[in-house]
Amino acid sequence: KYFKLSIRVEDIPGSLVPLPKEITFLIDASNSIGNPGLKQVKAGVEKSLEELGGSDRFNIVVFKDQIHKMQEQPVANTSDNVHQGEEFLNDFQTGSTTDLYDTVLNSVNSPHIMKPAYIFLISDGEPTQGITDSLQLINKIGEVNHGRVPIFGLGIGWSNEYFMNFLTFTNHGWAEFVPLSTVNSIIQLYEHIKDPFLINLRY
C-alpha cells in the first residue's frame, strides 16, 4: 500500500528560506510523443528554466532509443547555461523507440552535487525498448535508487498512469497527468516542487 502525505506551511514571507536544489529534466522524444507534443514540452521546460533559483543547478536529458545529455553533470543557473539548454532542446525532433529503464537509471546513478536533487520525468510512460514490463521497471529502479533521488513525473498524452504513479510514489515523488495542453502543466508541476524548505523528514 502507498499513500501521499502533504504538509503545508502558511505563506509567511521570509519565515523559511528555500534550499538550493539540483534538477534534471528527463524528456521523452520518442515516436509516441509526436512533434506537436514535443514542441509544448520544450516550451514548458524553457519557462521552468526561467523560474530556477539563483543557486540552483540543472541539466536536460532527452531520450529515445539513446540518451542525449546537455551536460554530463548539472550546471549552474546562469544566463549562458539556460541559453545553452534552450538551444539543446531545439535540436530535437521525435522519432525512434523509448528506453525508460536505462534513461532513469542513468540519471539516478549520475553524480549529484547538491541535495536535494530531483528528477523531473516528462513521458507517456510507455517503454518500447529494453525492459518494458511496468512492474519490473518500478521494482528495479526503486531497488537501485532506494529513495536517494526523488522522481516527479508528468504523464503526457494517453499515458501509462500505473507506471508513472508507482514509479514516482516509490521514489518519494508524485505524478500528474495532462491529455492535451502540456506547457502550463509542466510549469504548474515545477511550481509545486521548485522551493524545497525541509529535507530528511521523518514521521
Side-chain angles (χ1 to χ4, degrees):
K1 304 291 183 180
Y2 295 91
F3 64 92
K4 174 183 171 184
L5 174 67
S6 297
I7 302 173
R8 180 174 177 81
V9 179
E10 289 186 9
D11 297 326
I12 305 173
S15 60
L16 291 172
V17 179
L19 300 170
K21 69 179 181 298
E22 178 183 299
I23 185 164
T24 299
F25 295 90
L26 291 189
I27 300 171
D28 188 343
S30 61
N31 274 322
S32 57
I33 301 302
N35 282 317
L38 184 60
K39 183 178 179 181
Q40 291 198 48
V41 170
K42 290 177 181 179
V45 171
E46 288 175 1
K47 286 187 177 297
S48 296
L49 292 178
E50 296 172 3
E51 298 295 320
L52 288 169
S55 299
D56 289 351
R57 301 179 71 87
F58 75 96
N59 202 0
I60 301 172
V61 177
V62 177
F63 65 95
K64 307 178 188 179
D65 56 335
Q66 295 182 337
I67 302 169
H68 307 272
K69 297 182 179 181
M70 185 189 94
Q71 293 288 349
E72 282 304 310
Q73 295 185 4
V75 296
N77 175 25
T78 66
S79 57
D80 286 346
N81 285 335
V82 169
H83 181 65
Q84 181 190 351
E86 293 170 348
E87 289 190 332
F88 172 78
L89 277 175
N90 286 333
D91 287 340
F92 288 95
Q93 298 294 320
T94 54
S96 192
T97 53
T98 314
D99 192 336
L100 272 166
Y101 178 70
D102 280 349
T103 302
V104 176
L105 222 58
N106 184 280
S107 292
V108 165
N109 288 326
S110 293
H112 296 286
I113 301 169
M114 301 173 66
K115 188 174 182 180
Y118 298 156
I119 291 172
F120 190 156
L121 172 63
I122 305 170
S123 173
D124 61 3
E126 294 287 359
T128 54
Q129 177 178 309
I131 297 175
T132 57
D133 179 73
S134 293
L135 183 58
Q136 194 176 1
L137 275 166
I138 292 162
N139 288 337
K140 283 183 172 292
I141 292 170
E143 288 169 6
V144 174
N145 189 16
H146 203 60
R148 291 177 298 148
V149 185
I151 300 175
F152 298 89
L154 184 72
I156 56 178
W158 302 108
S159 51
N160 183 346
E161 294 192 13
Y162 170 82
F163 170 76
M164 294 293 285
N165 269 323
F166 280 95
L167 175 71
T168 53
F169 286 169
T170 55
N171 289 280
H172 297 183
W174 73 81
E176 297 178 8
F177 300 92
V178 53
L180 297 173
S181 178
T182 306
V183 178
N184 290 336
S185 298
I186 292 174
I187 298 167
Q188 287 168 6
L189 180 51
Y190 178 74
E191 287 282 338
H192 293 159
I193 65 175
K194 74 172 187 174
D195 290 328
F197 292 107
L198 301 169
I199 58 175
N200 296 328
L201 289 176
R202 297 291 181 268
Y203 54 87

